[in-house]
Amino acid sequence: MPLSFATRRTCGWIESFALEIPFKVLASTGGERDLTTTNQEDFYVIDSCLGFDYSVMILKGLDPWEGSSSRTRNPFAWIREAFSSTEKDVINLSGLDSAVYFVFLSTVFGIFLLSGIIMLPALLPLASTEKIKRVVDSTGKNAFNDLDKLSMAHMKENGPRLFASAAACYWVSLVTYYFLWKAYKHVSDLRAEALMSPEIKAEQFAVLVRDIPSSSEGYSKKEQVDSYFRAIYPEAYYKSIVVTENKAVIKIYKELEDCKKKVARAEIIYGNSKEVNPEGVRPTHKTGLLGLIGKKVDSIEYYNKKITELTPKLEAAQKVTLKDKQQGSALVFFTNRVTAAAAAQSAHSPIIDTWTTINAPEPRQLLWTNLPKTFYEREVRQYVVYFIVFLTICFYMIPIGLISAFTTLPNLRKMLPFLKPILDITSVRTVLGAYLPQIALIVFLALLPKFLLFLSKAEGIPSQSHAERAASGKYFYFVVLNVFIGVTIGGTLFDSFKDIQEKPKSIFEKLATSLPGNATFFLTFVALKFFVGYGLELSRIVPLIIFHLKRKYLCKTEGDVKEAWLPSDLGYATKIPNDMLIFTVTLCYSVIAPLILPFGAVYFGLGWLVFRNQVLNVYVPKYESYGKMWPHMHKRILASLLLFQATMVGYFGVKKFHFTPIIIPLPIVTIIFSIVCNKKFYRFFQCTALEVASHELKETPNMEIVYNSFIPPCMNADKVPEEQLNV
Amino acid sequence: MPLSFATRRTCGWIESFALEIPFKVLASTGGERDLTTTNQEDFYVIDSCLGFDYSVMILKGLDPWEGSSSRTRNPFAWIREAFSSTEKDVINLSGLDSAVYFVFLSTVFGIFLLSGIIMLPALLPLASTEKIKRVVDSTGKNAFNDLDKLSMAHMKENGPRLFASAAACYWVSLVTYYFLWKAYKHVSDLRAEALMSPEIKAEQFAVLVRDIPSSSEGYSKKEQVDSYFRAIYPEAYYKSIVVTENKAVIKIYKELEDCKKKVARAEIIYGNSKEVNPEGVRPTHKTGLLGLIGKKVDSIEYYNKKITELTPKLEAAQKVTLKDKQQGSALVFFTNRVTAAAAAQSAHSPIIDTWTTINAPEPRQLLWTNLPKTFYEREVRQYVVYFIVFLTICFYMIPIGLISAFTTLPNLRKMLPFLKPILDITSVRTVLGAYLPQIALIVFLALLPKFLLFLSKAEGIPSQSHAERAASGKYFYFVVLNVFIGVTIGGTLFDSFKDIQEKPKSIFEKLATSLPGNATFFLTFVALKFFVGYGLELSRIVPLIIFHLKRKYLCKTEGDVKEAWLPSDLGYATKIPNDMLIFTVTLCYSVIAPLILPFGAVYFGLGWLVFRNQVLNVYVPKYESYGKMWPHMHKRILASLLLFQATMVGYFGVKKFHFTPIIIPLPIVTIIFSIVCNKKFYRFFQCTALEVASHELKETPNMEIVYNSFIPPCMNADKVPEEQLNV
């Protein structure tokens, strides 16, 4: 991770808090390779008195002050900065994935803005001026509050004003199609541009081969792979890395790295102690359990000895692994991009489930342990995971209910008697009694994204970015089905299922009748999301607190501080489903209660602004998937649109509108639109189009560098025997 | 068509009839190219005194008598011959598609044989020894006939003997899985072998490119295609043929060919007349409508003059077409098979609906007018065609009913008064009155395959073989749904739909209750099919009669005779659905009335024998699709199996068998089996695996020959200006 010590930024209203942090940023702009070897002197404090830092920009070798010479020390300068940044800046600083996220934000913002501009002046007066006596609305309340007067609920049943609402459905849908189409085209262009860049990117020369059939005896997997691909690509084939079972090596490697870290730490402590006492106190520790028991030893000597012991052991283990633990998967390298791109999308063997090829992901995001999983293992795992996710989404209340049932206060007292004195305090008992069930729910919801990511990785997906996309998809279903539909209908999906079973087709009807009653709730929900959510996001208070705690109690060496300071990436796996929830809610209410539209627009507009700042200055992406997230988002936006249209058909039915059939074409158009987009754009997001790969490179690639970049750190190239590398 | 004058063969019991035919077969074995230029002297009568001819083998340059020196003139010698032929012989003589058809026949034969061997001795005694009083069976009859005593209908409701039937369901399914798996593997190997053959096949070097986007001005499509592919494949690209709108050229070309034919015919007539009168009578004709009116001219002079007029006109039209009528589709040639195979399966443009590529079909089966159809045109056409087919299958009785209603005798008399005297004859009136509705049905059923082939071509499919596969699929649904389900339930699918609408899920129940009552009918049906069908097939009486009629009244020149004699191919589009119907019927009755199994086995066993002879000696395939028909047959066999399993679940329900759930896993296993086969084998039937294409050729391909073989005859290479060919 060359960018591992990029500092986080704080800004705006928490400046005073931010001032405490000793910002240390690398000013030398020697490019990525230098960064990892720079020593301590290269750091210096910049701008720490104001809390502004532009670590990401500096790390990329850009001058953040360029073009803004009259820079004010205004706490809101970041807003101007965010607005003045271009898409190119984002791509250069944070990669294509971040740019795609902004395309998503601006697309959704555009949808709500354009819908709202027409619909607010048209629908609100129509609803509020409707002469209607007290109507029993679907939630059973007999009176309208002020907000309800502005909603479709306030329109007469089968009244002529409902035509305006029907027209609004068309308008929202058309606006969505238009923006989605433009966005898909734009993202496709961006992806093409990124992939045809003249820069040499190692992953564009590599192909991941899986399901290598067991070879005839006497041949190693490596020889098998080499001879197979050399026969098919006599000219363009370079060489291969066969995936090995690295468990043993990783264990030794980790131990070695740990020792190296501990030596460094011990030396720092020794150095610090010299400042007090010129001779210094050599740090010692005990060798037993947790350093509490056993013989006391000199730490520096002990670890240095251990390092000299482990180094040859590691080398031996590497040799054994390379020779005997070759797995049925390999990375294959080609000397040009077109051949690699064509190889990744072609069937190589007549038996399709052997020698399967895909584009190699970046080395940094390869999930090595997933690579050797076989074709049918992956298939079976996928279906098992889908089934588990289905159960989780539909019946998540059952385990939580069970836990709640068992963790009542009397039970707790029985099972954990040492808690008795605490539980006997009246106030604690009251609070716990009231909130124990909710705590179980909160813990579950907090752990869910991690659980879904774990499940996605268990599917056998080869790259981190793909796993996060898969997790994001699963989380989307959970969030939309349970939060939106669950809250609206009142109860979990499980309860709803029972009703639906009795009378299929009732879900949209049920949803439709419940929607107007919840308009106020969701309006508040969207507003709360951006007031509290973005505030937290901008201030980054939580990571700041964690960092301070770590620095105080754990960090000793400069390396430790760097690690604690390690900037995270955007975390698409949870961010996008949450955004999608807001989108779904706003879209579904857009015609029923158009007042939600400005809130939705503000959420995404503000989101664009806040994250523009965060992306330019705070987050460092963990991987680059060249915009593969977009089809995923596109599909889910269309799913939300379909939900909206189906719900509206249901709601018009509830309103006893005789012309309801006029909006039935909408879901059909959505499905056709989805198919067309899929056929036109989707495949390019799965593989690289040859036209794109055939663009010229700025120089002939040094294949040795490309090759070495894919060797996992524990099998480090300089320690790998020559004959293995140059076969 | 180099094989155009291969003679048809007759054998067995119609020998005496066959003797009349002057068999003229080419003995010179100079290979295909020579054949078309051979003149009349090369023909001679062989073996005509016995009616045995082996034209196909002779044409392929093989000696049919080789290895059977003691050949008897036995009318049943063909049986021994058929048995002694190997799969290799079939592939060599008739291509892979024929061999795949035999794999199908032997697979199905194997399924019925192995099922029958176990099930007949097990189930028949169980059913016949059941002590059961008169039971009202589902068809309402109160007595069992002898056949019914051997069927499952004769087993006690919820009796323990039903377990044997359930076990039989498992046995049939397992046998089917086993044979299908073996067959798919075998066909996949055959296809791989054929594709990796060292022979140079033009289509393996060509890729069909469609949806070429409109080029920037100043460039012709040809320049655009060439520069596009040369950029991506700088080394392997050869050149391209842009598809042109050939309507004008074809019109002139046809006229020219027609004139040439007429000159030849006129010369023959003139020559014949010389035999009577030494000076001869120069044939004349009138130039007006149908040669009935207009000026009388000397035919030979007139047509020769026309040929000299048309030849330069054709050349001019060719030039114009090549220059101005280039369409958005092209054939692209590569200098090696691997690149062509990879190019056919790779995405070339980031916009996936442009520059779409597929493997080029053989030149002889290209449907040129379908090539320039654009991506979405094809999609839309496909869905429209599916919809029409759906309507045809479900509601085919409606137009027939309408026609029948209007063509009653009184109506006919009114509309066509000149028929009055005929219609007044009592016997004619009786027959017509009774059969008029049936005649409409027969005409419809006779025209249906042609109609479905027309519809399939209208989808925009690029090759004849693919169109026939598509037509075959459509016909399968018609045959199975209407003949099998329709006859069983009694009425057309349309009537059944009305019932099903009222109570979904009832179709299998309905089918199950009706099945036993129709067992006898279908048993007779299968038996009739092979007695009458194969007799007709072997004797080939119908084509023989047609040939004789043609020869007597139409054929004048040797060329005309050749054309009339033109051997057809197997006609998969109708043969396979009809075989599939027999398969479906037999499979669905296999457990209910196991006595049908030997009939089914005989049908397919005899079919194998008869068609082995026909393929070796009579039919000449029109195209070679390298076994692409197999996945199509495989899928439909599995569909039949699924129908069988679902029906059995229904029938066990009707039998009030408490353990019916034990056969519910069967349909699930079938679906999983289908998915696994699909994933493992299917893609190789869509495209060529690179491993296969990378096998060595016997010589460096002469690209000019490869290229020229794809130029359509009307744009004949020797007339195409040089600069167009060598760009």
Side-chain angles (χ1 to χ4, degrees), chain B residues 700-720:
Chain B
T700 316
N702 182 336
M703 287 310 293
E704 204 53 32
I705 292 174
V706 166
Y707 182 80
N708 286 337
S709 68
F710 270 93
I711 294 173
C714 67
M715 303 292 280
N716 207 336
D718 16 334
K719 282 162 199 158
V720 172

Side-chain angles (χ1 to χ4, degrees), chain B residues 10-230:
Chain B
T10 57
C11 71
W13 51 87
I14 57 132
E15 253 174 64
S16 55
F17 193 59
L19 290 185
E20 292 178 27
I21 309 159
F23 281 98
K24 295 199 170 178
V25 179
L26 179 80
S28 79
T29 57
E32 299 203 355
R33 200 149 317 129
D34 294 336
L35 294 179
T36 48
T37 58
T38 319
N39 61 32
Q40 231 171 295
E41 281 83 56
D42 287 317
F43 294 88
Y44 70 101
V45 180
I46 53 148
D47 217 5
S48 67
C49 53
L50 263 164
F52 284 107
D53 76 88
Y54 303 90
S55 46
V56 174
M57 288 180 112
I58 292 167
L59 282 169
K60 286 270 178 177
L62 299 173
D63 179 3
W65 290 274
E66 187 189 3
S68 62
S69 54
S70 64
R71 186 177 190 77
T72 53
R73 299 290 187 187
N74 186 323
F76 292 100
W78 64 273
I79 294 179
R80 216 187 46 202
E81 191 199 323
F83 274 122
S84 63
S85 65
T86 63
E87 190 167 52
K88 262 217 166 76
D89 296 339
V90 173
I91 293 175
N92 287 339
L93 280 169
S94 190
L96 187 58
D97 287 340
S98 304
V100 167
Y101 182 61
F102 287 110
V103 172
F104 165 72
L105 290 176
S106 55
T107 300
V108 174
F109 176 71
I111 292 171
F112 291 153
L113 195 71
L114 202 58
S115 303
I117 282 175
I118 302 288
M119 281 160 60
L120 285 178
L123 290 184
L124 293 188
L126 279 180
S128 60
T129 59
E130 183 88 293
K131 277 181 189 99
I132 187 169
K133 284 190 187 160
R134 288 171 24 131
V135 172
V136 181
D137 81 355
S138 52
T139 54
K141 287 177 220 141
N142 281 330
F144 286 115
N145 61 30
D146 286 344
L147 194 73
D148 283 345
K149 276 198 188 134
L150 296 171
S151 85
M152 219 176 124
H154 197 250
M155 287 188 185
K156 258 185 209 146
E157 281 187 358
N158 196 25
R161 296 191 180 187
L162 288 178
F163 278 109
S165 297
C169 290
Y170 270 91
W171 177 246
V172 171
S173 304
L174 292 179
V175 166
T176 310
Y177 300 144
Y178 169 73
F179 275 102
L180 279 184
W181 183 262
K182 246 184 62 181
Y184 217 144
K185 227 172 178 169
H186 180 60
V187 173
S188 184
D189 288 346
L190 287 182
R191 178 175 160 86
E193 213 169 287
L195 287 176
M196 68 173 68
S197 116
E199 301 292 326
I200 288 157
K201 286 164 186 161
E203 64 272 17
Q204 289 197 308
F205 295 89
V207 166
L208 174 59
V209 184
R210 304 170 88 176
D211 315 302
I212 301 170
S214 47
S215 62
S216 47
E217 263 181 76
Y219 283 105
S220 73
K221 275 263 184 289
K222 190 163 172 69
E223 287 162 334
Q224 192 193 358
V225 170
D226 284 340
S227 70
Y228 187 85
F229 283 98
R230 200 159 282 142

Side-chain angles (χ1 to χ4, degrees), chain A residues 97-165:
Chain A
D97 288 341
S98 304
V100 167
Y101 183 60
F102 286 111
V103 172
F104 165 71
L105 291 176
S106 56
T107 300
V108 174
F109 176 71
I111 292 171
F112 290 153
L113 196 71
L114 203 57
S115 303
I117 282 173
I118 302 287
M119 281 160 61
L120 284 178
L123 290 184
L124 292 188
L126 279 180
S128 59
T129 59
E130 182 87 295
K131 278 181 190 101
I132 187 170
K133 285 190 189 160
R134 287 170 24 133
V135 173
V136 181
D137 82 355
S138 53
T139 54
K141 287 176 220 143
N142 280 331
F144 288 113
N145 62 30
D146 285 345
L147 194 74
D148 282 346
K149 274 195 188 135
L150 297 171
S151 87
M152 219 177 124
H154 197 251
M155 288 186 182
K156 257 186 209 146
E157 282 187 358
N158 196 26
R161 297 192 180 188
L162 287 178
F163 279 109
S165 296

